[in-house]
Amino acid sequence: MRRSACIPSVLAGLALALGGTVIAAPAAHADIGACENYVQDQGTEVTDAVRMGCYVGLVGDQSGCVGDLSRAGVAGAVAIEACRQAPE
């Protein structure tokens, strides 16, 4: 492919990638918030360790999320449900 033909394709791909990031970013924060809110509503303080556990759940590692939340002092059943809410 000629170089002049590649440039518009690359720019279009970049615009789509950046546009997808902008659209997805608010949802990511809301997902972590749902996890944190669930933990807090069940009576556990939201600490940095809880936030990290919720983030681990957001990226798809449910067992890691539950383990992190449990180590942060969140009860088992609460940790499981909070981690289920993280990727929604």
Side-chain angles (χ1 to χ4, degrees):
M1 188 181 284
R2 291 188 335 240
R3 186 175 199 160
S4 61
C6 287
I7 292 173
S9 299
V10 170
L11 291 175
L14 182 60
L16 287 173
L18 291 175
T21 301
V22 171
I23 291 169
H29 293 294
D31 294 337
I32 291 173
C35 176
E36 292 172 357
N37 288 337
Y38 187 80
V39 169
Q40 187 172 14
D41 290 346
Q42 299 304 313
T44 303
E45 181 183 351
V46 176
T47 62
D48 287 340
V50 169
R51 286 182 191 91
M52 182 53 77
C54 288
Y55 175 77
V56 169
L58 175 70
V59 297
D61 183 1
Q62 295 299 300
S63 62
C65 174
V66 171
D68 287 353
L69 291 181
S70 295
R71 283 188 292 281
V74 178
V78 174
I80 292 168
E81 182 57 32
C83 291
R84 283 185 186 150
Q85 292 187 18
E88 292 180 353

